[in-house]
Amino acid sequence: AFAPASVGRSTVALNEMSKSIPFLTVPEKLDGSMAGDVGFDPMGLSDIQTDLNYARWAELKHGRICMLAVVGMVWQEYGPHLPGDAYATKDPWEAISSVGFASNFQTLLAIGVVELANWNKYYGDGTPGDIGWTGGQLSKMNDAQIKTRMESEIVHCRLAMIAFIGATHQTFLLHKGLLDFSY
């Protein structure tokens, strides 16, 4: 179900059916050329979006943030903390206010630096998600392996966005720990 497409289609045949929801037709702009494109767009957002690269950048960016957020929320509740009363709270949302202005400003400043460094890439012809941090495991992979990793990343990003919504619901509405499955 999550296997990468071997080759993107150059055109979408009239009335071609979606791989994700077989009773819906594939939207015109979703031609299979991007990682994770399985023709899923039941709300028709690709019809109103002029630049799908920008939309993919946003999807990857928000997914990466949610991956970090979910890990951070679990760590806040169950992992070790820095010493001091400001870092002792177990509620991930309360922790934002307990650390004070300086810690939050430092975090936002770091995020802003990364955003500004990549500002022009969002509207260019580059690969969505490539922020220029070279090296690591991708430098040792061939194109097929990189395509598989890109497929995996977008699937994990989508799952993390759903997990973040669930974690927020669990914390705000149920007032329970994230790994507390009791009724």
Side-chain angles (χ1 to χ4, degrees):
F2 298 109
S6 57
V7 178
R9 299 179 305 270
S10 59
T11 59
V12 177
L14 187 61
N15 297 329
E16 183 177 349
M17 303 311 282
S18 170
K19 292 179 192 175
S20 60
I21 303 178
F23 56 85
L24 293 179
T25 57
V26 175
E28 183 180 339
K29 291 183 181 177
L30 299 181
D31 60 2
S33 60
M34 282 198 229
D37 179 4
V38 290
F40 182 77
D41 188 17
M43 293 175 51
L45 297 176
S46 64
D47 295 336
I48 59 173
Q49 183 68 17
T50 57
D51 184 8
L52 287 184
N53 274 340
Y54 179 78
R56 179 53 54 94
W57 264 105
E59 184 178 18
L60 283 167
K61 180 174 24 172
H62 289 95
R64 289 170 177 172
I65 290 168
C66 285
M67 285 190 271
L68 288 171
V70 169
V71 169
M73 291 173 82
V74 172
W75 186 273
Q76 182 66 29
E77 286 191 28
Y78 301 103
H81 296 114
L82 294 172
D85 291 338
Y87 305 103
T89 182
K90 294 212 176 267
D91 182 349
W93 298 102
E94 186 181 319
I96 296 169
S97 62
S98 73
V99 296
F101 176 77
S103 296
N104 287 319
F105 182 73
Q106 179 183 6
T107 302
L108 291 175
L109 185 65
I111 292 169
V113 167
V114 173
E115 284 292 308
L116 287 174
N118 292 290
W119 186 261
N120 291 331
K121 293 181 182 182
Y122 299 143
Y123 300 103
D125 293 330
T127 303
D130 181 10
I131 58 176
W133 292 352
T134 59
Q137 296 295 320
L138 289 180
S139 63
K140 301 171 189 159
M141 295 183 182
N142 62 32
D143 289 342
Q145 291 170 321
I146 291 172
K147 176 82 171 166
T148 301
R149 290 290 173 104
M150 290 170 68
E151 293 274 346
S152 297
E153 181 183 27
I154 194 66
V155 168
H156 292 137
C157 284
R158 291 169 180 165
L159 179 61
M161 288 186 268
I162 294 169
F164 180 76
I165 291 170
T168 302
H169 171 268
Q170 179 102 346
T171 303
F172 278 145
L173 298 180
L174 303 180
H175 302 289
K176 293 184 176 184
L178 295 178
L179 301 179
D180 182 2
F181 301 114
S182 63
Y183 290 100

